[in-house]
Amino acid sequence: MSVNLRSVFAFAKEYHQKKESQKDIQYGTAGFRSHADNLDYVMYRMGLLAALRSRAKASQAIGVMITASHNPEHDNGVKLIDPLGEMLEQRWEQLATDLVNVPDSGLEAQVAKICEDEQIDNNEPAKVFVGMDTRYHSPQLSRAVVNGILALKGTVTEFGIVTTPMLHYFVTCTNTQNAYGLPTEEGYMGKLIAAFKALRGEQAEPGNYRNQLYYDGANGVGSLKMLGFIKKLNGALNVKVFNSNGKINFKCGADFVKTNHRVPEGLPEEAALASGRCCSVDGDADRVVYYFTDKEGTFRLLDGDRIATLLAGYLKDLIEQCGVQLEMGLVQTAYANGASTDYIVNRMKIPVSCTRTGVKHLHHKALEYDVGVYFEANGHGTIIYSEKAKQAIRAASQDESRTEEQRKTAARLLQMIDLTNETVGDAISDMLLVETVLHAKGWNLDDWLASYTDLPNVLEKVYLADRNVITVTDADRVVVAPAGLQDSINEIVAKFPKGRSFVRPSGTEDIVRVYAEADTRANAVQLAFEVANLVFDQAGGVGSRPVKMED
């Protein structure tokens, strides 16, 4: 096999041109995202990079996922998946940025430079898996990715429409020689459902738990795949799917529910009543949040913080019951509610670490623990079990010197591991984990909510001419530039009891996010309003000024 880099440039110039008017873009927290019309050349070049990355990793499979996750329908995006299901190595994010932003005339030289710097032999095989979400422009963008891979003589496996977590799973299975599971949709569903049914047992509705879940699929791939799961669950979990064929993420989905603190459109009124249990996923099904409306008619959200505490508390109990000595830790971001952090540290007695926003940062930190639980407040997260933890739990399940109850508990932990997609946040896997724990405890959502009381919080968006004028440090909690902005934020925060606020440029959209929490909903809304307008004035706001949310 011989790769002619001149053909890479010629093919790009003929079919995937980068217009001179197109602005430079940056590999963000989850790859490149933009309006779909701007992404054809980006996709082609990411196909090139995926083939190079495979060769740099000894011809292991690399994934390319085409999705804009929770973004509006007109957007799309692309990200690379490393051999063990991780996000692309951070050093290669810069290589991706450099490759995408070089003019067509410099493309051949840029590819050659990557090959030289990374000591890549283009005579070696390259294996790339490609998946996409349900956006109408994903197929044509997928073709651009495939053309990039083929231009460098790589081998492509196209999985078509899949959730982002499924592609992470396929890559991991292949590169572990199927030790993690079978790299097919049937293998993915089969592994999760077998573990779920084993954990569920025969009792359908213990305690306050009811076997009925209302599922908002955000009009994305998560709704399609859940319909397939329902057939295979055979009533082990009764799920009613809504929002399966409209505009993706439009007034529905996990991000809409989390940001607006209200039930998505498309769900029937009875779904979110006090007796109901609802969840929403996002467009590519890597986030999930739960919610209901209480007897007073108040909307109640159980987000990623709540999911983390529920799962971590249950796992801690199982680990203690089977007598295995393991270090557990929980990883959060600055968006985590202050009340959840206090509950985890002081009531649950589990160490907490705070990292920058983006699951790649949380995932890396979670690897430091034997059992690392990480969730962003938006509902994106998972659990990672070290090889030491898996071996210790497996040994405990077979240790005749332990009690039968301890062995059974260890076996249950092994099923929990199988039910977890450790490679990345997975809305379907996480949903099944939540349902398992609620079922085991005999809880409804009111019971879950009662574990601690969240501080009221608000998330605002501010549109700037250039989001990069704001730089942050200390896990995104402190503004470094523009100078003086952080001091002004501190002055505003000091006026509100239990006040906390920070601003952060989004890694996926051309906005700056403002987070605020305080002792009351009214104070949180006012705090967010004041900080958002401060950012608008001091950081170059564009469009309409931020308006005050309803209390």
Side-chain angles (χ1 to χ4, degrees), residues 399-417:
D399 186 354
E400 294 295 332
S401 68
R402 296 178 187 269
T403 67
E404 183 181 359
E405 191 60 33
Q406 285 179 316
R407 293 196 300 275
K408 283 183 178 178
T409 302
R412 188 169 181 83
L413 266 171
L414 291 175
Q415 295 289 0
M416 290 290 286
I417 293 172

Side-chain angles (χ1 to χ4, degrees), residues 200 203-214 236-238 274-277 435 438-439 442-445 447:
R200 191 85 160 176
Q203 191 176 6
E205 296 190 337
N208 292 330
Y209 182 86
R210 295 294 173 264
N211 186 22
Q212 182 64 67
L213 177 67
Y214 299 90
L237 177 64
N238 291 326
S275 59
R277 188 170 70 255
E435 293 296 320
L438 293 178
H439 178 271
W443 279 6
N444 59 21
L445 296 193
D447 297 323

Side-chain angles (χ1 to χ4, degrees), residues 90-357:
Q90 199 161 353
R91 188 173 60 83
W92 273 66
E93 291 180 7
Q94 187 58 52
L95 298 185
T97 299
D98 293 342
L99 183 64
V100 162
N101 291 324
V102 73
D104 285 342
S105 59
L107 183 58
E108 179 185 340
Q110 191 66 32
V111 171
K113 182 177 186 302
I114 294 172
C115 293
E116 182 179 355
D117 291 348
E118 302 300 322
Q119 299 181 322
I120 294 169
D121 182 354
N122 274 318
N123 292 310
E124 293 298 316
K127 184 188 300 182
V128 183
F129 291 176
V130 180
M132 61 183 175
D133 70 13
T134 56
R135 293 164 201 267
Y136 65 89
H137 29 67
S138 289
Q140 70 185 63
L141 295 177
S142 175
R143 180 49 46 194
V145 170
V146 170
N147 284 345
I149 298 163
L150 295 178
L152 284 178
K153 303 290 195 267
T155 301
V156 185
T157 302
E158 295 185 73
F159 285 91
I161 295 174
V162 292
T163 70
T164 294
M166 288 171 70
L167 191 65
H168 282 257
Y169 170 86
F170 299 151
V171 168
T172 307
C173 291
T174 297
N175 291 326
T176 58
Q177 289 72 53
N178 298 348
Y180 192 68
L182 297 177
T184 64
E185 194 163 325
E186 287 291 320
Y188 168 81
M189 287 189 178
K191 180 181 179 181
L192 295 185
I193 290 171
F196 179 73
K197 287 182 175 179
L199 287 161
R200 191 85 160 176
E202 297 300 320
Q203 191 176 6
E205 296 190 337
N208 292 330
Y209 182 86
R210 295 294 173 264
N211 186 22
Q212 182 64 67
L213 177 67
Y214 299 90
Y215 177 98
D216 162 28
N219 295 317
V221 61
S223 59
L224 300 181
K225 301 309 175 185
M226 182 48 58
L227 292 170
F229 264 90
I230 290 170
K231 294 177 183 177
K232 296 177 182 297
L233 283 166
N234 294 321
L237 177 64
N238 291 326
V239 185
K240 291 186 177 179
V241 175
F242 300 91
N243 293 327
S244 59
N245 58 4
K247 186 181 290 188
I248 192 168
N249 297 320
F250 182 68
K251 294 185 178 181
C252 62
D255 191 59
F256 174 85
V257 173
K258 171 65 177 171
T259 302
N260 294 282
H261 282 254
R262 67 182 178 92
V263 176
E265 294 189 4
L267 258 67
E269 286 187 20
E270 69 270 16
L273 295 178
S275 59
R277 188 170 70 255
C278 305
C279 74
S280 289
V281 305
D282 64 335
D284 67 334
D286 60 7
R287 299 180 179 189
V288 62
V289 296
Y290 274 72
Y291 50 92
F292 70 108
T293 303
D294 67 17
K295 293 174 182 177
E296 285 72 44
T298 303
F299 176 81
R300 300 293 188 182
L301 176 67
L302 298 110
D303 60 9
D305 297 339
R306 292 278 180 179
I307 294 171
T309 57
L310 180 76
L311 300 183
Y314 185 67
L315 289 172
K316 184 172 186 275
D317 289 345
L318 291 184
I319 290 167
E320 290 174 351
Q321 287 166 22
C322 72
V324 178
Q325 299 299 311
L326 297 172
E327 183 186 4
M328 175 184 281
L330 201 150
V331 187
Q332 296 182 318
T333 72
Y335 288 111
N337 194 279
S340 74
T341 308
D342 180 72
Y343 176 76
I344 296 160
V345 173
N346 296 314
R347 289 280 300 280
M348 298 176 69
K349 305 298 183 184
I350 296 175
V352 173
S353 298
C354 184
T355 74
R356 292 176 58 197
T357 301

Side-chain angles (χ1 to χ4, degrees), residues 447-525:
D447 297 323
W448 182 9
L449 190 70
S451 54
Y452 66 88
T453 302
D454 274 323
L455 287 168
N457 60 92
V458 173
L459 192 61
E460 282 271 23
K461 295 179 180 179
V462 181
Y463 291 85
L464 303 182
D466 179 8
R467 62 180 167 172
N468 295 312
V469 301
I470 291 185
T471 57
V472 293
T473 187
D474 188 20
D476 298 334
R477 293 174 289 192
V478 176
V479 176
V480 176
L485 179 56
Q486 184 62 51
D487 290 338
S488 298
I489 293 172
N490 293 344
E491 289 176 9
I492 295 173
V493 168
K495 300 188 300 183
F496 297 88
K498 297 186 179 179
R500 182 168 74 92
S501 183
F502 65 91
V503 303
R504 169 188 164 268
S506 170
T508 57
E509 301 177 72
D510 291 323
I511 59 172
V512 170
R513 301 186 190 276
V514 175
Y515 177 88
E517 65 183 34
D519 60 332
T520 66
R521 168 76 179 174
N523 278 342
V525 168

